Amino acid sequence: MLRMGKLTDYATVVLASLAQDPAVHRAAAELAERTRLARPTVSKVLKGLQRAGLVTSSRGALGGYRLARAPELITAAQILDVFEGPIAITECSGAASHCGIERLCRVGGAWQRVNAAIRRALQDVTLKELAGLEPAAPRILHMSLDARRPIL
């Protein structure tokens, strides 16, 4: 199953809180209170986000953390990359593939296309949308695998 980890989920919640007022520095304790996440978890998430360049920090009485750039310039793909690494649904989908049968495999190309489509979808969703500050893009019509009928 494709599923992001808890730290990525928590990072999105923390970033969404920061996106509410991007110019304001917020202390880790304040973010923990605002998001109802444990302070050690918020601190761990903030350290990862800072290393990745998604947030900046400053010291002092008015210090804390804030977004490194506007929420519309931070994508879901960038957030996932911090704690999950680049999306690679199969061994051959990753940048550093080590699959022993890749040259002979007939399904790898199709999975690579699926991987690229997932990546594009994640790049199309911004933190501004995730934070509910901008209407999300229209829902995509999905097809049922069985009947080939549209489902919502």
Side-chain angles (χ1 to χ4, degrees):
M1 174 186 343
L2 297 175
R3 185 179 206 161
M4 67 181 179
K6 286 184 179 182
L7 281 180
T8 303
D9 193 13
Y10 297 153
T12 306
V13 171
V14 169
L15 287 168
S17 182
L18 288 170
Q20 300 299 316
D21 201 354
V24 175
H25 285 86
R26 305 238 183 246
E30 180 185 355
L31 286 166
E33 186 177 314
R34 288 171 59 113
T35 60
R36 299 184 190 265
L37 295 171
R39 187 172 176 186
T41 301
V42 170
S43 294
K44 183 175 185 176
V45 163
L46 287 167
K47 285 178 187 173
L49 294 171
Q50 184 178 16
R51 276 193 304 271
L54 296 182
V55 300
T56 59
S57 68
S58 59
R59 297 176 186 232
L62 299 175
Y65 294 88
R66 64 179 223 143
L67 296 179
R69 53 189 173 274
E72 61 270 17
L73 299 177
I74 297 173
T75 68
Q78 292 167 333
I79 298 167
L80 263 82
D81 286 350
V82 174
F83 296 102
E84 310 295 333
I87 298 293
I89 61 172
T90 62
E91 181 63 37
C92 65
S93 298
S97 175
H98 300 298
C99 181
I101 64 167
E102 189 171 358
R103 289 190 193 119
L104 306 171
C105 181
R106 294 178 179 215
V107 298
W111 281 120
Q112 290 169 8
R113 282 192 357 255
V114 170
N115 196 80
I118 292 169
R119 182 75 186 178
R120 279 191 306 274
L122 292 168
Q123 289 171 329
D124 286 345
V125 176
T126 68
L127 175 57
K128 191 169 185 178
E129 291 171 292
L130 290 168
L133 301 172
E134 179 177 287
R139 286 179 52 175
I140 298 170
L141 186 64
H142 300 280
M143 297 298 289
S144 163
L145 294 178
D146 298 339
R148 298 286 177 212
R149 288 181 286 171
I151 58 174
L152 294 178

